Amino acid sequence: MEEIAVRAETQEAERDVIVVVTLEGRSWLMNVRATPAEWQRLSEVPAADWRRRRAVRLGTVAGVDVWWHVSDDTLYMTLGEDGPESADVGLVLPVGVLRRILDEVAAARDESP
């Protein structure tokens, strides 16, 4: 599997501070936006198994909801308004990327003003 870069940075939005997580492969890039409080829900993702119809809605990409779940040591991130079943686009990533996202989000929150 290709190397995946993970970065997070805090940005000031109109009303709230948001944390933007950038995931980047060799030929693709995805920016997921969410508030710091929403990012705390990342800890729920390992227990969200789509075989049991569980997914965590967390953040947006281009204004579309992102649904997160883990199955067979694989992280799934799907984009769509009605959940993973009707998603239009998705990423299938090693589950270790989830820990890297958690670490980057925590670091971004620590560095925010």
Side-chain angles (χ1 to χ4, degrees), residues 12 25 38 50 87 93:
E12 290 193 32
E38 289 172 310
W50 189 242
L93 303 168

Side-chain angles (χ1 to χ4, degrees), residues 4-8 19-23 32 39 42 45 58 68 75 77 91 93-109:
I4 299 163
V6 179
R7 294 181 306 281
V19 176
V20 179
V21 170
T22 300
L23 302 170
V32 183
W39 282 117
L42 273 176
V45 173
L58 190 163
W68 307 64
L75 173 63
M77 296 172 59
L91 292 177
L93 303 168
V95 74
V97 170
L98 183 59
R99 168 55 45 203
R100 292 173 52 204
I101 294 169
L102 282 161
D103 292 345
E104 288 291 323
V105 167
R109 282 194 312 245

